[in-house]
Amino acid sequence: MTTNSRRDFIKKIGIGTAALSIGGNALGKNVFGGTGSGFSAKSYRNIIGANERINMATIGVNSRGNSMGGTFARQKNTHIATVCDVDTRTIPKAIKTIMDAGQTTPPKSEKDLRIVLEDKTIDAIYTATPDHWHAPLTIMACQAGKHVYVEKPLSHNPNEGELAVAAARKYNRIVQMGAQRRSAPTLTKGIKLLHEGIIGRVYMAKTWYTNARKENFLKPGDVPEWLDYDLWQGPAPRMPYKDGLIHYNWHWFWHWGTGEALNNGTHEVDVARWGLGVDYPIRVSSSGGIYQFKDDWETPDTQIVAIDYPGNVSLVWENRSRNGRKIEGQERGIIFYGEKGSLDTGEDAYKIYDLQGKLIADVKPGTGAETMEGRNTASPSLGMDNLHVMDFLDAIRNNRRPNCDVELGHKSTVAMQLGNISLRVGHDLKIDAKNGHIIGDKDAQRLWSRTYEKGWEPKV
């Protein structure tokens, strides 16, 4: 790259970066890969000055849900009317967080989410329930006329994801998946540059997640008095209660969770798919296992998922849940490789390198943005949470699709679900690029859905 071309390059990537720091998609047009209008300066003003108050319920308010309750409560003309959880211990903490965020009247409390959905004064729900609840609750909420902000992953299995998309469309509800980077302004600029060819044709994305999780053993026990375990299980077939499962370690058991691939990999793979401009893959393979400890985990602590998309495009995700050694100096991240160079990201920032690996541009987050804490389970980035919540509320008020609309969320979620299916059956999967379905593989197709507790089957 010559001096003049490098100067032009730097000038190009610098345009508009400062303006983007106000939040949302200040580009004023859709760059999110969906059909929504994006988060324009006009819609930003609507959020600040809108007269329409949105009544919210937060469901699942332990760690992540508690943090996000405060984020919603800080929004203009947004009221948390009800907090809901099967664990009665979480309710006082959740109410305190909401009141500390500035809400003047305390929310009601409820244990049973079905009662919350019957409340016609509730406009929208936020949910941070376990994975096996995500899609069934989303479907139930849409049927009850509520808009939904659902944390990733959208679903426990691919069939549920398709049902969630169908429910959002049938009942004309706004459904946002919690992929906060879709509302990160500086990253949005970087993705736009990728799409404009800043590193030429982008043909590969490498993504990763690392942690140093400990051994986990479950023990037989009695259901504690503070927990409604039957409601916690909800749509999942009944299993005996065990100490150590609730509230986090259910992630590592197929009956309720989806492993690290969906717990954290969904975030990076969503950005990768966004940057690559791809929808459904044509081939998925995965290898790995439980290598670090001999404990009760069922999902892998070490895993690689390789995903091929039409047009000679590949995506790779690497997971090391129990070895905290960083990759490229980052706990988690994404690298896009193209014909003219590469682009690195992982938060609301990006770096661009030429083909020789020389740093060309280092674009930081906007003024006031905090450093992302990649392993923080309550909130890796309060700033990105805030912007994604603002986008969701604006989408409701303006009747548009949000930055991570349910269909975008499904496409990213199913990519990782297919990776888990490949791992579990022990071979590559051939995929229909039109809809993400598995082709000609009865063993794998059996994992496309699941069995449900009688009476809890999700239907649209």
Side-chain angles (χ1 to χ4, degrees), residues 184-310:
T186 303
L187 175 58
T188 296
K189 175 67 174 178
I191 298 295
K192 183 173 184 287
L193 290 172
L194 276 182
H195 294 168
E196 292 174 347
I198 199 73
I199 61 171
R201 188 181 79 86
V202 186
Y203 52 80
M204 181 182 175
K206 174 184 177 179
T207 68
W208 66 90
Y209 178 80
T210 66
N211 207 327
R213 301 192 189 279
K214 306 302 182 185
E215 285 182 288
N216 177 223
F217 294 96
L218 303 183
K219 299 178 181 179
D222 296 323
V223 178
E225 53 84 22
W226 45 261
L227 176 68
D228 188 327
Y229 183 55
D230 189 65
L231 262 180
W232 184 90
Q233 293 182 93
R238 297 300 176 256
M239 296 278 281
Y241 174 82
K242 290 188 176 182
D243 286 333
L245 178 70
I246 298 170
H247 279 292
Y248 196 79
N249 289 322
W250 53 263
H251 280 291
W252 323 125
F253 298 88
W254 296 119
H255 194 71
W256 307 281
T258 52
E260 204 76 89
L262 281 300
N263 181 37
N264 277 295
T266 310
H267 281 301
E268 277 69 43
V269 168
D270 181 65
V271 173
R273 201 180 59 75
W274 178 20
L276 292 170
V278 294
D279 291 316
Y280 295 111
I282 57 175
R283 186 169 68 92
V284 177
S285 62
S286 180
S287 62
I290 306 165
Y291 296 157
Q292 183 72 8
F293 301 118
K294 294 180 179 179
D295 62 356
D296 288 342
W297 275 35
E298 295 175 351
T299 65
D301 59 24
T302 306
Q303 185 178 11
I304 294 175
V305 179
I307 309 171
D308 291 337
Y309 288 92

Side-chain angles (χ1 to χ4, degrees), residues 192-442:
K192 183 173 184 287
L193 290 172
L194 276 182
H195 294 168
E196 292 174 347
I198 199 73
I199 61 171
R201 188 181 79 86
V202 186
Y203 52 80
M204 181 182 175
K206 174 184 177 179
T207 68
W208 66 90
Y209 178 80
T210 66
N211 207 327
R213 301 192 189 279
K214 306 302 182 185
E215 285 182 288
N216 177 223
F217 294 96
L218 303 183
K219 299 178 181 179
D222 296 323
V223 178
E225 53 84 22
W226 45 261
L227 176 68
D228 188 327
Y229 183 55
D230 189 65
L231 262 180
W232 184 90
Q233 293 182 93
R238 297 300 176 256
M239 296 278 281
Y241 174 82
K242 290 188 176 182
D243 286 333
L245 178 70
I246 298 170
H247 279 292
Y248 196 79
N249 289 322
W250 53 263
H251 280 291
W252 323 125
F253 298 88
W254 296 119
H255 194 71
W256 307 281
T258 52
E260 204 76 89
L262 281 300
N263 181 37
N264 277 295
T266 310
H267 281 301
E268 277 69 43
V269 168
D270 181 65
V271 173
R273 201 180 59 75
W274 178 20
L276 292 170
V278 294
D279 291 316
Y280 295 111
I282 57 175
R283 186 169 68 92
V284 177
S285 62
S286 180
S287 62
I290 306 165
Y291 296 157
Q292 183 72 8
F293 301 118
K294 294 180 179 179
D295 62 356
D296 288 342
W297 275 35
E298 295 175 351
T299 65
D301 59 24
T302 306
Q303 185 178 11
I304 294 175
V305 179
I307 309 171
D308 291 337
Y309 288 92
N312 295 322
V313 175
S314 292
L315 193 165
V316 177
W317 178 72
E318 178 182 347
N319 165 50
R320 285 184 282 99
S321 288
R322 288 166 157 175
N323 189 314
R325 172 74 182 270
K326 297 177 181 180
I327 298 175
E328 300 282 344
Q330 300 294 322
E331 295 170 346
R332 59 195 308 169
I334 307 108
I335 301 175
F336 294 98
Y337 297 94
E339 296 168 325
K340 300 178 181 178
S342 60
L343 185 148
D344 293 19
T345 186
E347 53 183 325
D348 191 19
Y350 60 93
K351 296 179 181 180
I352 299 177
Y353 297 83
D354 65 18
L355 281 176
Q356 285 71 44
K358 182 176 181 180
L359 181 64
I360 301 298
D362 185 353
V363 182
K364 304 293 187 183
T367 304
E370 81 279 14
T371 301
M372 193 176 84
E373 300 176 26
R375 298 172 184 169
N376 185 324
T377 57
S379 176
S381 170
L382 288 171
M384 281 197 283
D385 287 345
N386 186 60
L387 293 173
H388 209 46
V389 165
M390 291 167 71
D391 174 73
F392 172 64
L393 298 172
D394 180 67
I396 294 172
R397 292 188 173 112
N398 289 284
N399 192 30
R400 65 166 176 85
R401 294 187 184 176
N403 289 345
C404 194
D405 171 66
V406 60
E407 190 169 349
L408 297 177
H410 170 62
K411 290 175 181 177
S412 298
T413 298
V414 78
M416 299 307 278
Q417 288 169 337
L418 290 169
N420 278 343
I421 292 172
S422 171
L423 181 80
R424 294 175 74 180
V425 298
H427 55 252
D428 293 4
L429 306 179
K430 184 179 179 181
I431 308 299
D432 187 338
K434 296 190 297 294
N435 55 21
H437 283 220
I438 301 164
I439 299 172
D441 189 330
K442 290 183 180 180

Side-chain angles (χ1 to χ4, degrees), residues 22-44:
I22 63 170
N25 173 23
L27 299 170
K29 59 182 180 180
N30 182 9
V31 295
F32 297 98
T35 56
S37 64
F39 188 15
S40 66
K42 180 179 179 181
S43 62
Y44 181 84

Side-chain angles (χ1 to χ4, degrees), residues 59 98 175 253 273 289 365:
I59 301 175
I98 289 164
V175 177
F253 298 88
R273 201 180 59 75

